[in-house]
Amino acid sequence: MTLPRLKSLDELQPGDRYELGRLTFSLEDIREFARRYDPQPFHLDEEAARDSVFGTVVAAGLHTLSACFGMLMASPLLQEISLAGSAMDIRWPAPLRPGEEVTVSVEVIEVTRSRARKDRGSARLRYVARRVEDGVVVLDATGLHHLRR
Amino acid sequence: MTLPRLKSLDELQPGDRYELGRLTFSLEDIREFARRYDPQPFHLDEEAARDSVFGTVVAAGLHTLSACFGMLMASPLLQEISLAGSAMDIRWPAPLRPGEEVTVSVEVIEVTRSRARKDRGSARLRYVARRVEDGVVVLDATGLHHLRR
């Protein structure tokens, strides 16, 4: 799939939706992120994870978030218009396990033009990761992006 | 500083505050995270960053968040009671630059006991990273933690 390289915030409309691709973590991917940023036993150790509420190793929520956000930022979509980000609200409704494949999409929720600066504005973008097998959402995050016009 | 190893959610009270320590990113730390999870020019390249709204390389917001969260999860505080996390609301009021030192603290905002499961509950914990030099907050995040009682 080819995503457009936007030239202006004005090309975004609430309701627009882009598919960013698919993502799968191996057990070692999950453990590598967790060792640095969330060293809880149920992200690191299969035996310890058996006694956790998850029953198996699951990805750190910040890992899923960072990887999905990275797919957006590595895509052409915002490369010419992204100025900064300043806020994010995140929900992890279900865990993500090693080997599970998710699709990652981004949807435009709101677009605001700056009154003070005619060359910029902001957009609320919602990133959703959904398990391919059963459609369950494992990440639902909305970020506030400051963008060029 | 030694943080306690909590045995139960009941040991947390709204208003409790713990200092997690200090944190500094080198330019290479910032670039390493950004290459994988937020490859925008102002996180990767000093020359490109000069033309950005920041004027210099700044850390990816998810990097600051992940590192601060990692300090909490590597500390003894929640090691025996953390079951899962399911939500987070984040603000990045100011950028974090290479070499800038921040202090990281966590504050208890709210504690809720489960009615259905007497052995667990949840707490809203707020993580704040503040630049040592001028006290400016660079990260203000509140996470929903599911904890043992």
Side-chain angles (χ1 to χ4, degrees):
Chain A
M1 118 200 46
T2 312
L3 291 171
R5 183 181 290 269
L6 302 180
K7 301 293 184 190
S8 166
L9 165 77
D10 293 330
E11 293 172 69
L12 292 172
Q13 307 277 351
D16 288 353
R17 195 157 168 280
Y18 300 97
E19 299 298 329
L20 296 173
R22 293 184 174 211
L23 179 74
T24 305
F25 291 147
S26 69
L27 176 62
E28 192 40 40
D29 293 335
I30 288 174
R31 297 179 70 215
E32 186 198 354
F33 186 96
R35 275 193 289 270
R36 297 183 69 163
Y37 300 118
D38 188 355
Q40 298 190 77
F42 47 78
H43 299 314
L44 290 171
D45 182 71
E46 291 187 283
E47 200 155 332
R50 252 175 249 139
D51 298 326
S52 75
V53 295
F54 304 111
T56 67
V57 167
V58 298
L62 294 180
H63 188 192
T64 309
L65 173 66
S66 297
C68 294
F69 188 83
M71 287 174 74
L72 173 61
M73 288 312 182
S75 86
L77 199 67
L78 306 181
Q79 269 180 26
E80 299 200 8
I81 64 172
S82 178
L83 295 168
S86 63
M88 210 179 273
D89 291 349
I90 309 151
R91 301 295 176 271
W92 293 277
L96 180 60
R97 296 187 160 85
E100 288 182 339
E101 193 178 31
V102 294
T103 57
V104 184
S105 65
V106 58
E107 184 183 345
V108 181
I109 300 299
E110 188 182 48
V111 178
T112 306
R113 283 149 187 94
S114 169
R115 288 181 183 202
R117 296 286 308 261
K118 294 216 179 284
D119 62 344
R120 61 181 68 172
S122 63
R124 286 194 190 274
L125 303 181
R126 181 178 183 186
Y127 339 112
V128 173
R130 197 180 284 275
R131 285 203 302 247
V132 170
E133 192 182 358
D134 55 10
V136 167
V137 171
V138 300
L139 172 76
D140 186 345
T142 300
L144 179 59
H145 294 255
H146 303 278
L147 302 171
R148 280 185 224 281
R149 291 184 66 188
Chain B
M1 120 200 47
T2 311
L3 291 171
R5 182 181 290 269
L6 303 180
K7 301 292 183 189
S8 166
L9 164 77
D10 293 330
E11 293 173 68
L12 292 172
Q13 307 277 351
D16 288 351
R17 195 158 167 278
Y18 300 96
E19 300 297 329
L20 297 173
R22 294 182 173 213
L23 180 73
T24 306
F25 291 148
S26 69
L27 176 61
E28 191 41 40
D29 293 335
I30 289 174
R31 297 180 69 216
E32 186 198 354
F33 186 96
R35 275 193 289 269
R36 298 183 69 163
Y37 300 118
D38 188 356
Q40 299 190 76
F42 47 79
H43 298 317
L44 290 171
D45 183 71
E46 290 186 284
E47 201 154 331
R50 253 176 247 136
D51 298 327
S52 75
V53 296
F54 304 110
T56 68
V57 167
V58 298
L62 294 181
H63 188 192
T64 309
L65 173 66
S66 297
C68 293
F69 187 83
M71 288 173 74
L72 172 61
M73 287 312 181
S75 87
L77 200 65
L78 305 181
Q79 269 182 26
E80 299 202 8
I81 63 170
S82 178
L83 294 169
S86 64
M88 210 180 274
D89 291 351
I90 309 152
R91 302 294 175 271
W92 293 277
L96 180 61
R97 297 187 160 84
E100 288 182 339
E101 193 178 31
V102 294
T103 56
V104 184
S105 65
V106 58
E107 184 183 347
V108 181
I109 301 299
E110 188 182 47
V111 178
T112 306
R113 283 149 188 95
S114 169
R115 287 180 184 204
R117 295 286 306 260
K118 294 218 178 281
D119 62 344
R120 61 180 70 172
S122 63
R124 286 194 190 276
L125 303 181
R126 182 178 183 186
Y127 339 111
V128 173
R130 198 180 283 275
R131 285 203 302 247
V132 171
E133 192 182 358
D134 56 11
V136 167
V137 170
V138 301
L139 172 76
D140 186 345
T142 300
L144 179 59
H145 294 254
H146 302 278
L147 302 171
R148 279 185 224 281
R149 293 185 66 190

